Amino acid sequence: MEMAKIAPGVAGGSNRQTLTDGDGEARHLLRRWAEAEGADLTVDRIGNMFLRREGMEPDLPPVCLGSHLDTQPTGGKYDGVLGVLAGLEVFRSLNERKIATRYPIVLINWTNEEGSRFAPAMLASGAFAGLYTEEWVNARTDAAGLAFGDELDRIGWRGEKPVGEQPMKAFFELHIEQGPLLEDGGLDVGVVTHGQGLYWLEVSFEGRESHTGTTPMDRRRDAARGLAQTIELVNETAFAFLPGVVGSVGHASVEPNSRNIIPGYSVCTIDIRTADKAKLEAMRERIERGVHRIAETLGLAAKVTITGHFDPITFDLECVSAVRSAANRLGYRHADIVSCAGHDACHVNRVVPSAMVMCPCVDGLSHNEAEEITKDWAGAGANVLMHAVLETAEI
Amino acid sequence: MEMAKIAPGVAGGSNRQTLTDGDGEARHLLRRWAEAEGADLTVDRIGNMFLRREGMEPDLPPVCLGSHLDTQPTGGKYDGVLGVLAGLEVFRSLNERKIATRYPIVLINWTNEEGSRFAPAMLASGAFAGLYTEEWVNARTDAAGLAFGDELDRIGWRGEKPVGEQPMKAFFELHIEQGPLLEDGGLDVGVVTHGQGLYWLEVSFEGRESHTGTTPMDRRRDAARGLAQTIELVNETAFAFLPGVVGSVGHASVEPNSRNIIPGYSVCTIDIRTADKAKLEAMRERIERGVHRIAETLGLAAKVTITGHFDPITFDLECVSAVRSAANRLGYRHADIVSCAGHDACHVNRVVPSAMVMCPCVDGLSHNEAEEITKDWAGAGANVLMHAVLETAEI
Ligand SMILES: NC(=O)NCCC(=O)O
Ligand SMILES: NC(=O)NCCC(=O)O
C-alpha cells in the first residue's frame, strides 16, 4: 500500500499522527490520486479535505463519504485509511464504468480523528457538526505544547472554506470494526445502527515528594498509589456495569519519576464508553466519587477534568437502511452492530443524516501496528459502501 | 549558599544530577575552596575527589570524611552537600586554630551517590569498596542512553588514581537524616549504628496494545493493570512486614501512553528497605511471587530484574563510639539510630572502618526541593563530625 509507506511505524503499522509531516504527505498523495480521477479539492479552515466528483445536478447537496488518514502513534494501516481509500475506489469504479450520478459525490478526509496528539478525538468533524468553535480547535495543544492551529499552518493544509459550510445530503463512512464481534460471528459486514457514548476524564493527584528510604509508611502522601488505585477503580467500575461497557486507562505518569523519590504528582487519562446513556453517567459518577475517596484515604489532593464527551448515537434510519439493503442485495453475511469506537460519522450524524459500514479485522485488534484485515473483508465493505452511496446519490 | 546557586531546582532546591555541567561546576567550586585551605586534590578514574590536608606523619593512612555533591532531579540543598561542606569547615577550623593532626585528613566527594540518573545509587563508593568494576561503572547509562564514562569525560572530571587505591584509616560521613525520627524525638544528633539493606527491582509487563473502545473487558491484556496492581502489591507488602520496613514505587510508565490505547507495555521500579536481612529477602520473594501471580491473572508476561542490592549494614564499633563520645562530650541530645537511606559510608564500611553522624531535617522531608534544616542542627552535626575525626586523627 502506497499510503502505508508514508510515516510507517516500527512494527509494520503506521505512526502518522495528525498534522505531522507524514500527515501532510498523505494528504498530498490523496489529492494527487483523487485529482487523477477528476475530483476537485477544497479544504476548510481546519484542514478537512473535500474532494468533489460532480453530479448531473451540481446544485443538489452532495452525497459524502470518507474517513481519516491520521493514525495513532502505534497505529494500524487500515484504521481510517480504509474508509478514505475505499471512497477513492468508488470514484475509480464509477469512472471506469462511466457512471454519472444525479447528486455530486464528495470524498472527505477529516483532520485529527484519532485524538491521541490533540484531544479530543474527532476534533474536526466535531467542529463541522458545531460542537467546537474554530478558535477552540486551533488552541488545542499536544504533549509538547504545540498548538493545533500552528501545526496546521506549518504543514500548509489550512484552507479557506468556513468550517461547517460544506452542504451534504448524507454521509457514509466505512471503517474497520476494531473489535472482535464481526469476526467471531463469521460475518462479512456490519450495519452500524448505534454508537457508544464516551467520557474522557483526566485525573491528577497531588501528594508530597519524599525519600523512599526514610519516609515511614504511615507518613506518606504517595501520588503513585492514587494512580494505581484509580486504574483499578476504572476497571472494577467497567466490570460492575457489564455488559455493553468498557473502561480503560491509556495514559499514566508520575513525577518526578525517580526510583528513590515517592511521587508527589501523578496523572492519568480515563476512557469509559457504552451505548447506554444512563450507564455512562452512572459510571462517570462512580469513578469521580471513587477518585475523591482514594484521595482522601491517601492524603492526596485530586482533580478530575472532563476532556472529551459525547452521548450514545443513533444513526439515521434511512441511511442505515441504505447500508443494510446494499448488504442484502450483494448477498453478504451481515448483522446490525453498535460502533464501539468513536468515528467522524458519529459527530456528522448530528447535522447530516449518516450511517456506517464496518468490516471485520483479525482478532479484533486495532490501535496496534499488527492490525490486519483480509482482502475479502475490505472488498465486501467497499462494495456495500459504494452501493449505499449510489442508492443515495441516484444513478 | 554559594554551592546551592549552581544548578538550582525550580522550587528553591537543587537539580544538580551527577555528571551534568552543574556537577562539574560544583566540583570546581569545592576544589577552589579546599585548595584555599591548603588541601591537595587527587581524582580517581571514576571522578571521586580526594582533598588532602597533610598530617604530621604523612605515611600514616588518612582519616577520611565527606559525602556527595550530586542531587536528585528535584533535590534539596543539604542532602550530601552538608557532609562535604562540613568537611571543608573542619579544614577551616583546624587552619584558623593552627591545629596539626598526626594522621592526614582527606575530604571526599563521591561521584553519583543519588543513583537517579545512573542506577544504582552510591555507584562510585560501591566501586571503591570493590562491589563494581570500573568498566561496569563506565557502562551505566541514563534514561537518554548516555553512558557514565562518556559523561564523566565530557565534564572533564576523570582522574588518574586507580579506583580503591586511596588508603584510609577510617571514614566519617555527616548526612541529614532525611526522615522524621530525630526531629520527632527532639534530638540534636543521631549516632548511626546500622543502615537499612535494600533491593531495587525493575518490573515490566508485556500485554497487548488494543483499542480502548472496542476491546471487550474480558479480552484485554492490559499492562497498565499490571503496573497498578504492582504498586499496590509493594505497598501492601511493606505494611505487612512493619515495623522497620519501607516499600515504594518511584518510577512508572506505560506504553504507548495514548488515551485510547490499552497499554501493551508498562514498567516500574521498586525500592524496598529494612535493617533486617531476613525480612528484606522475604519481602523481595513475596513481591516477585506477587508480580508473577498478577501477570498470570491478567494474561501478561512479567519480567523482574534486580537493579540494586545491598545487605543491612553494621557500622564499625570503634568509629561509632568516636561519634557517640563526641556527642556526649559536646553535650548534645543524641540517640543511636539506623540510617534509613543508603549512603556512601554504607559501602565504604565494607573495606574501611566507618561511621555516620546524622542531623535532623524539618518534617523528615528530603528528595524534595523544600528540604530544610536549622543552623543549630547543622552546627551540632558538624561539631560532632569534627570531634570524631580529631579523636581518630589524633592531635
Ligand atoms: N476509530 C477510532 O479509533 N477513533 C478514535 C477515537 C476513539 O477512541 O474511538
Ligand atoms: N541518601 C540518599 O538519599 N541516598 C540516595 C540513595 C538512597 O536512595 O538511599
Side-chain angles (χ1 to χ4, degrees):
Chain A
M1 257 204 334
E2 277 314 299
M3 189 56 82
K5 288 189 189 146
I6 299 175
V10 294
S14 291
N15 177 3
R16 196 167 59 237
Q17 293 181 72
T18 195
L19 307 190
T20 56
D21 292 344
D23 183 17
E25 221 182 300
R27 289 161 177 266
H28 282 294
L29 180 59
L30 173 64
R31 172 189 195 153
R32 237 173 17 251
W33 279 339
E35 288 182 346
E37 299 302 321
D40 267 334
L41 173 71
T42 54
V43 180
D44 76 10
R45 296 192 43 75
I46 54 176
N48 294 317
M49 296 171 65
F50 301 92
L51 292 148
R52 178 184 178 105
R53 183 178 192 270
E54 201 46 275
M56 290 180 290
E57 299 187 27
D59 292 341
L60 289 180
V63 174
C64 298
L65 78 175
S67 190
H68 61 95
L69 290 178
D70 69 319
T71 77
Q72 289 283 325
T74 55
K77 297 191 292 283
Y78 309 99
D79 171 358
V81 181
L82 177 69
V84 176
L85 297 192
L88 195 69
E89 283 306 313
V90 170
F91 282 7
R92 286 176 179 157
S93 300
L94 297 183
N95 287 350
E96 261 171 33
R97 292 164 215 186
K98 301 198 174 25
I99 297 176
T101 54
R102 188 173 161 229
Y103 287 79
I105 301 179
V106 168
L107 170 59
I108 306 178
N109 170 36
W110 299 104
T111 302
N112 186 30
E113 192 273 346
E114 293 293 353
S116 45
R117 183 172 179 201
F118 301 100
M122 294 111 62
L123 181 64
S125 52
F128 178 86
L131 289 176
Y132 320 121
T133 65
E134 188 181 320
E135 294 65 45
W136 192 81
V137 170
N138 281 321
R140 296 309 88 208
T141 51
D142 67 9
L146 300 172
F148 179 101
D150 295 337
E151 285 293 282
L152 178 61
D153 288 332
R154 190 185 64 78
I155 67 162
W157 275 93
R158 191 189 296 282
E160 305 200 328
K161 195 185 185 99
V163 177
E165 286 209 353
Q166 171 66 50
M168 297 192 192
K169 183 188 184 198
F171 177 66
F172 291 93
E173 180 170 5
L174 167 65
H175 204 285
I176 63 167
E177 182 199 347
Q178 309 184 280
L181 306 178
L182 293 177
E183 190 188 31
D184 284 1
L187 302 168
D188 305 311
V189 158
V191 178
V192 185
T193 57
H194 296 82
Q196 291 195 121
L198 159 157
Y199 270 110
W200 278 358
L201 309 176
E202 196 165 290
V203 172
S204 64
F205 291 100
E206 192 93 39
R208 193 178 73 152
E209 282 175 25
S210 61
H211 194 295
T212 52
T214 56
T215 313
M217 294 308 294
D218 59 358
R219 298 199 32 168
R220 298 177 165 217
R221 299 199 345 242
D222 183 348
R225 295 199 67 190
L227 170 70
Q229 293 183 14
T230 300
I231 294 173
E232 287 302 282
L233 167 70
V234 170
N235 280 276
E236 281 154 20
T237 303
F239 278 107
F241 280 84
L242 281 178
V245 309
V246 285
S248 327
V249 169
H251 169 100
S253 62
V254 302
E255 293 292 335
N257 216 19
S258 171
R259 56 186 97 216
N260 45 6
I261 305 185
I262 296 167
Y265 179 81
S266 65
V267 61
C268 67
T269 61
I270 295 172
D271 174 324
I272 51 174
R273 312 192 192 200
T274 165
D276 177 334
K277 184 170 159 57
K279 273 194 186 182
L280 187 64
E281 295 300 332
M283 284 172 76
R284 182 185 51 74
E285 278 162 29
R286 176 164 163 157
I287 288 171
E288 287 193 5
R289 269 199 318 274
V291 164
H292 292 296
R293 201 183 49 239
I294 288 168
E296 208 173 85
T297 313
L298 297 172
L300 307 171
K303 211 172 103 190
V304 182
T305 324
I306 295 174
T307 56
H309 168 60
F310 48 82
D311 280 335
I313 284 107
T314 303
F315 284 108
D316 179 73
L317 276 183
E318 224 170 298
C319 290
V320 170
S321 97
V323 171
R324 194 184 292 112
S325 62
N328 269 332
R329 269 198 317 276
L330 294 162
Y332 291 122
R333 283 161 302 183
H334 65 87
D336 288 2
I337 61 168
V338 170
S339 169
C340 290
H343 295 288
D344 295 307
C346 301
H347 281 341
V348 176
N349 185 57
R350 296 167 171 269
V351 287
V352 174
S354 302
M356 293 188 70
V357 188
M358 276 193 178
C359 106
C361 62
V362 174
D363 207 16
L365 194 60
S366 184
H367 287 197
N368 185 313
E369 294 202 37
E371 176 189 280
E372 208 36 90
I373 61 176
T374 69
K375 278 214 167 122
D376 285 350
W377 289 340
N383 227 344
V384 170
L385 174 74
M386 180 163 83
H387 283 81
V389 166
L390 288 187
E391 182 184 325
T392 313
E394 301 178 17
I395 45 180
Chain B
M1 256 200 339
E2 278 313 299
M3 189 57 83
K5 288 188 187 145
I6 299 174
V10 293
S14 291
N15 177 4
R16 197 168 57 239
Q17 293 180 71
T18 195
L19 308 190
T20 55
D21 293 345
D23 183 16
E25 222 182 299
R27 289 160 176 266
H28 283 293
L29 181 58
L30 173 64
R31 173 190 195 152
R32 236 173 17 250
W33 278 340
E35 288 181 346
E37 299 303 321
D40 267 334
L41 173 70
T42 53
V43 181
D44 76 9
R45 297 192 42 74
I46 53 176
N48 292 319
M49 296 171 65
F50 302 92
L51 292 148
R52 178 184 178 105
R53 183 180 192 269
E54 201 44 276
M56 290 180 291
E57 299 188 28
D59 291 341
L60 289 179
V63 175
C64 299
L65 77 177
S67 191
H68 60 95
L69 290 179
D70 69 318
T71 77
Q72 289 283 325
T74 56
K77 297 191 291 285
Y78 309 99
D79 171 358
V81 182
L82 177 69
V84 176
L85 298 192
L88 195 68
E89 283 306 315
V90 170
F91 283 8
R92 287 177 180 157
S93 299
L94 298 182
N95 288 350
E96 261 171 33
R97 294 164 213 186
K98 299 201 178 18
I99 297 175
T101 54
R102 187 171 162 232
Y103 289 79
I105 302 179
V106 168
L107 169 59
I108 305 177
N109 171 35
W110 300 104
T111 302
N112 187 27
E113 193 273 347
E114 293 293 353
S116 45
R117 184 173 177 199
F118 300 100
M122 296 109 64
L123 181 65
S125 52
F128 178 86
L131 289 176
Y132 320 121
T133 64
E134 189 181 322
E135 294 65 45
W136 191 82
V137 170
N138 281 322
R140 296 307 87 209
T141 51
D142 67 7
L146 300 172
F148 178 101
D150 296 336
E151 286 293 281
L152 180 60
D153 288 332
R154 190 185 64 78
I155 67 163
W157 275 93
R158 191 189 295 283
E160 302 201 330
K161 195 186 186 96
V163 177
E165 286 207 355
Q166 171 65 48
M168 298 193 193
K169 184 188 183 199
F171 178 66
F172 291 93
E173 180 171 6
L174 166 64
H175 205 284
I176 63 167
E177 182 199 346
Q178 310 186 280
L181 306 178
L182 293 177
E183 190 189 31
D184 283 2
L187 302 167
D188 304 312
V189 158
V191 178
V192 185
T193 58
H194 296 82
Q196 291 196 120
L198 160 156
Y199 271 110
W200 278 358
L201 308 175
E202 196 166 291
V203 172
S204 63
F205 291 101
E206 190 92 42
R208 194 178 72 152
E209 281 175 26
S210 61
H211 194 294
T212 52
T214 55
T215 313
M217 293 308 293
D218 60 357
R219 297 198 36 166
R220 297 176 167 218
R221 299 198 345 241
D222 183 346
R225 296 200 67 191
L227 170 70
Q229 294 184 12
T230 299
I231 294 173
E232 286 304 280
L233 167 71
V234 170
N235 280 277
E236 281 155 19
T237 302
F239 278 107
F241 279 85
L242 282 178
V245 309
V246 285
S248 327
V249 169
H251 168 101
S253 62
V254 302
E255 293 292 336
N257 216 19
S258 172
R259 59 186 95 217
N260 45 7
I261 304 186
I262 296 167
Y265 179 82
S266 65
V267 62
C268 67
T269 61
I270 295 172
D271 175 323
I272 52 174
R273 313 192 193 200
T274 166
D276 178 333
K277 185 170 157 58
K279 274 194 187 182
L280 187 64
E281 295 301 332
M283 282 171 77
R284 182 186 50 75
E285 278 161 28
R286 176 165 163 157
I287 288 171
E288 287 193 5
R289 269 200 317 275
V291 165
H292 292 295
R293 200 184 48 240
I294 288 168
E296 207 172 88
T297 313
L298 297 173
L300 307 171
K303 211 171 101 189
V304 182
T305 323
I306 296 174
T307 55
H309 169 59
F310 48 82
D311 281 336
I313 285 106
T314 304
F315 283 109
D316 179 72
L317 276 184
E318 224 170 296
C319 290
V320 170
S321 94
V323 172
R324 194 184 292 111
S325 61
N328 269 332
R329 272 201 313 279
L330 294 162
Y332 291 123
R333 284 160 302 184
H334 64 87
D336 289 2
I337 61 167
V338 169
S339 168
C340 290
H343 294 289
D344 294 307
C346 301
H347 281 340
V348 176
N349 185 56
R350 297 168 169 267
V351 289
V352 173
S354 303
M356 293 188 71
V357 188
M358 276 194 177
C359 107
C361 62
V362 174
D363 207 16
L365 193 61
S366 183
H367 286 197
N368 184 313
E369 293 201 38
E371 176 188 280
E372 208 37 91
I373 61 176
T374 70
K375 277 213 168 123
D376 286 349
W377 289 340
N383 229 343
V384 171
L385 174 74
M386 181 164 81
H387 282 81
V389 165
L390 288 188
E391 182 184 324
T392 313
E394 300 177 17
I395 43 179

